[in-house]
Amino acid sequence: MQTASELAHNKAAAAVGLKAAVRILDKWRATGEQGEAILRVSHSTYARARRGDVAEIKLDSDQLTRISYLLNIHAALRMLFENPENLYGFVSMANHNPYFNGRTPLDVISSGDFAALYETFKRIDSLRGAQW
């Protein structure tokens, strides 16, 4: 069982992760609806995260995992691209590789399907050689 201190630390870390994920989604030019679907959060939670008001937000393990995948997609893109146009624009570019079939990575993950987020991460991560 976690202590009160551990719970507070985990909650603070989750809040920081959510704020970072929303900032990344904004830089990717995702709509609020897309961001809400990708992270599986309510409209009010997403709006609060955009404002930075996340002190009382509670996230479940699925939401935390989604945030983690999104942050890891961003980290992989940072390793691949130095220029902001590609770093933030890649997810909005049509991708004709298998799985994407002409869709953008943002379109794929905006379905809200957890498997789509995972598969998108896997494919972007493989571009850099997947050498974590």
Side-chain angles (χ1 to χ4, degrees):
M1 185 165 187
Q2 289 185 328
T3 67
S5 174
E6 290 171 329
L7 286 172
H9 173 73
N10 291 344
K11 191 172 183 180
V16 169
L18 178 61
K19 285 187 341 188
V22 169
R23 281 194 310 268
I24 291 165
L25 286 163
D26 284 345
K27 289 193 175 215
W28 287 352
R29 298 179 192 243
T31 66
E33 292 79 17
Q34 288 174 314
E36 293 159 16
I38 293 165
L39 299 176
R40 200 186 56 77
V41 297
S42 68
H43 179 73
S44 62
T45 297
Y46 196 82
R48 287 175 57 198
R50 267 192 167 151
R51 291 191 311 265
D53 177 23
V54 292
E56 297 301 318
I57 289 177
K58 294 179 185 173
L59 301 171
D60 62 32
S61 62
D62 177 71
Q63 292 165 321
L64 293 171
T65 303
R66 289 167 180 270
I67 290 167
S68 177
Y69 275 118
L70 190 128
L71 295 176
N72 281 298
I73 288 170
H74 179 67
L77 291 171
R78 287 186 64 87
M79 294 180 85
L80 288 167
F81 303 116
E82 292 181 14
N83 63 328
E85 295 82 21
N86 286 341
L87 172 60
Y88 297 112
F90 180 86
V91 295
S92 296
M93 295 177 188
N95 190 317
H96 296 285
N97 291 308
Y99 184 72
F100 294 106
N101 298 319
R103 300 174 295 170
T104 70
L106 185 58
D107 286 340
V108 171
I109 64 175
S110 293
S111 70
D113 180 39
F114 184 84
L117 183 59
Y118 170 75
E119 290 296 329
T120 299
F121 161 72
K122 216 167 69 168
R123 282 160 174 79
I124 291 174
D125 192 46
S126 72
L127 295 174
R128 61 165 199 84
Q131 299 172 355
W132 284 117

